[in-house]
């Protein structure tokens, strides 16, 4: 299950992404926002990242104006690897090397067509594992240390 959220700055791109997910018959839940009225991105990052962190969802997509606020917020959650991507290469690497479980994009940075392409690449790319898994394990170890202190 995949969960999707945006603020007002990411709302239009989110609609395009939801359309793509529907076309691909991917089960997705929309956690808001529901329009272009101004809202606070951490509220929506918390809904999506909280669901991924708890295991309620396997993957998430977050969109704000730049993607920056959503990525900062989402990465506060244990087990979340939220990657802000801007182009096809970073979308591919976000999966291949970082096994990102949340894809973050900027609705004021990307066109709907570009955003859809990046989601497709992220969904269709495989995690390479190996030396990259070792690095993800180190991130988990840092996380454990931070939570303990
Ligand atoms: C909202 O105006 C904007 O600050 C937000 O969408 C995002 O870009 C924050 O990082």
């Amino acid at each position: 299950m995949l969960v999707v959220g945006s603020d007002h700055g990411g709302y239009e791109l989110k609609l395009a992404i939801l359309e793509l997910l529907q076309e691909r018959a991917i089960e997705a839940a929309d956690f808001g926002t529901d329009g272009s009225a101004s809202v606070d991105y951490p509220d929506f990052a918390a809904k999506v990242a909280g669901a991924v962190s708890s295991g309620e969802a396997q993957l998430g997509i977050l969109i704000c104006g730049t993607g920056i606020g959503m990525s900062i917020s989402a990465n506060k959650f244990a087990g979340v690897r939220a990657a802000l991507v801007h182009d096809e290469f970073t979308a591919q690497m976000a999966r291949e090397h970082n096994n990102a479980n949340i894809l973050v994009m900027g609705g004021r940075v990307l066109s709907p067509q570009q955003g859809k392409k990046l989601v497709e690449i992220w969904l269709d790319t495989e995690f390479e594992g190996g030396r990259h898994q070792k690095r993800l394990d180190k991130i988990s170890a840092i996380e454990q240390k931070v939570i303990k202190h």
Side-chain angles (χ1 to χ4, degrees):
M1 149 99 143
L2 196 158
V3 288
V4 186
S6 76
D7 72 353
H8 53 291
Y11 179 66
E12 290 298 327
L13 179 53
K14 185 183 68 170
L15 294 181
I17 301 307
L18 288 170
E19 199 180 86
L20 168 75
L21 296 173
Q22 202 171 13
E23 278 163 22
R24 291 189 49 154
I26 293 171
E27 193 195 343
D30 180 6
F31 282 5
T33 187
D34 302 324
S36 51
S38 182
V39 291
D40 298 329
Y41 60 81
D43 297 337
F44 297 90
K47 289 182 189 193
V48 167
V52 171
S53 182
S54 71
E56 180 197 331
Q58 281 68 54
L59 296 174
I61 296 174
L62 281 168
I63 310 166
C64 60
T66 58
I68 297 171
M70 285 297 196
S71 57
I72 292 172
S73 308
N75 279 312
K76 303 291 180 197
F77 285 75
V80 164
R81 293 179 302 279
L84 172 57
V85 300
H86 290 110
D87 50 32
E88 298 188 14
F89 179 67
T90 50
Q92 182 189 335
M93 288 300 117
R95 174 71 88 183
E96 218 169 272
H97 286 193
N98 309 109
N99 202 16
N101 48 15
I102 297 187
L103 189 77
V104 189
M105 297 181 293
R108 295 174 182 156
V109 179
L110 301 169
S111 69
Q113 291 71 25
Q114 288 170 321
K116 282 163 107 168
K117 180 76 187 155
L118 302 193
V119 169
E120 292 209 274
I121 290 170
W122 174 64
L123 288 173
D124 295 340
T125 300
E126 300 254 321
F127 176 48
E128 259 184 24
R131 68 186 191 282
H132 301 297
Q133 182 59 55
K134 190 182 76 177
R135 292 160 188 169
L136 298 192
D137 292 343
K138 289 193 175 190
I139 295 175
S140 302
I142 293 171
E143 206 170 67
Q144 288 305 313
K145 221 170 154 183
V146 171
I147 289 167
K148 272 186 203 142
H149 288 91

